[in-house]
Structure formats: structure tokens, C-alpha cells
Amino acid sequence: MHIWVDADACPKVIRDILFRAAERTRTPLTMVANHPLPLPGSTLIKQLQVPKGFDVADDEIVARIQPGEILITADIPLAAEALAKDARVLSPRGERYDKGTIRAKLTMRDFMDTLRSSGVHTGGPPTLSPADRQTFANQLDQLLR
């Protein structure tokens, strides 16, 4: 098993939970980002730095992820591609994506993108709450069992 993280937008508090979980379960973890990240000194935790560019990190993750591996991302199109490769996908808020619900998520994402493109202010996601962090940690633990 391996944990892949779409790390460019992953909150630090979620990264810290991931680092502890990787060490506790002895699961290799790869942070994929287009800039250097501070990592703990661990042979299990690595960074794959990719060039800057649209979807470069996403494309690298999709090329490398294997069935049954875990992806942490808030990127719905990336989640859909990973699910198509039979990976398991978890958002930083602890929402598990699956093949049965990803189509609706993609449709909503496209709808919101259309609204933003037409000038409608849709706001951003709410701040990551303590409940979100706990939900993430609980869901991650379930995936790692």
C-alpha cells in the first residue's frame, strides 16, 4: 500500500496527520508538489517535486498510482482519474470519493466553474474545522486498516 498526496493545496494540519499515520502504520507516503515542502526525517515519507504547470502534479500522480493505493486530494477531476484506476480517494476534509458519487461531484464542480466564469462570486470552501480534521483522521485510519 502507498499513500499519494496532491500536496500543493493540502493544508499543513492534514499533512501532519498524514505524517503521523504513515509512521504509525509503516506506510510509504509521497507528497507530490511543484515546490519544496518541509518533510519529517523519515525513510517512509518522500516528496516528488514536479515542474510548475497546469495539472503536472495530477498527471504524475495518475501515471504512478496503483489499484488499492490511497490518494489524498480535494481535486475532483484528479479524484475521478484515480478512482478509474481503482485507487481509494479521500479529501482533506475526510470525504471519501467513490465511483458511485464522483460523477455528481464532477457535475457540481463544472457548474460552479461555469458560475465563476460568468462573474458570480461563489466564495471559497469554509475553513478547515477541528471536526473536519477529526473526520479526516478517522477516515484515513479506516483506509489504512
Side-chain angles (χ1 to χ4, degrees), residues 91-126:
S91 82
R93 293 183 182 278
E95 181 179 6
R96 286 178 69 169
Y97 300 126
D98 62 48
K99 290 180 180 179
T101 60
I102 197 66
R103 176 64 47 210
K105 298 274 184 206
L106 282 166
T107 300
M108 181 55 78
R109 177 205 171 269
D110 292 345
F111 173 70
M112 297 301 284
D113 191 45
T114 300
L115 285 177
R116 285 187 292 275
S117 295
S118 66
V120 175
H121 179 68
T122 59

Side-chain angles (χ1 to χ4, degrees), residues 27-108:
T27 305
L29 181 145
T30 303
M31 308 289 288
V32 182
N34 62 22
H35 62 281
L37 296 169
L39 299 179
S42 170
T43 59
L44 292 169
I45 300 169
K46 299 187 178 353
Q47 178 178 0
L48 175 60
Q49 188 171 343
V50 298
K52 292 185 191 286
F54 186 71
D55 285 344
V56 175
D58 298 1
D59 293 344
E60 193 66 36
I61 291 168
V62 170
R64 292 175 181 248
I65 199 162
Q66 298 296 311
E69 293 183 333
I70 298 169
L71 171 62
I72 309 302
T73 187
D75 184 317
I76 302 298
L78 173 57
E81 288 187 77
L83 287 168
K85 292 186 75 174
D86 293 323
R88 296 175 295 162
V89 184
L90 181 63
S91 82
R93 293 183 182 278
E95 181 179 6
R96 286 178 69 169
Y97 300 126
D98 62 48
K99 290 180 180 179
T101 60
I102 197 66
R103 176 64 47 210
K105 298 274 184 206
L106 282 166
T107 300
M108 181 55 78

